[in-house]
Amino acid sequence: VSPEVLSPVGLLDCPFCGSRPVFENLIIEAVIYCPKCKAQMKRKHAAKKDTGVPEAMDAWNNRHAATHGLQEK
């Protein structure tokens, strides 16, 4: 089974180099990574649910905000 590879709407660009991230929804985890600088964020799925997808997206976007001084209130 090949992973779902895409760049979903709602993901911010890489906080380190500004490139567009890639998203992979694997069997046990969701992975977001930058193909240019290799930064990555992983979140495990709960049993039989794709819970890692929103968690990985939130973590990636919040890291972007924190890196650029845009802390959420």
Side-chain angles (χ1 to χ4, degrees):
V1 177
S2 62
E4 176 185 359
V5 179
L6 56 129
S7 192
V9 174
L11 276 182
L12 299 175
D13 291 340
C14 177
F16 304 107
C17 72
S19 294
R20 195 77 187 122
V22 175
F23 170 81
E24 290 185 273
N25 189 14
L26 305 173
I27 293 171
I28 61 168
E29 65 189 1
V31 181
I32 300 169
Y33 67 92
C34 175
K36 184 175 179 181
C37 74
K38 309 302 183 214
Q40 66 177 340
M41 182 69 59
K42 296 180 181 183
R43 292 295 185 265
K44 300 278 185 202
H45 294 310
K48 300 182 182 180
K49 296 182 182 178
D50 282 348
T51 57
V53 174
E55 289 177 7
M57 291 178 71
D58 287 344
W60 179 271
N61 287 340
N62 286 332
R63 182 179 67 186
H64 185 281
T67 302
H68 293 283
L70 304 171
Q71 297 288 344
E72 290 186 28
K73 295 181 180 183

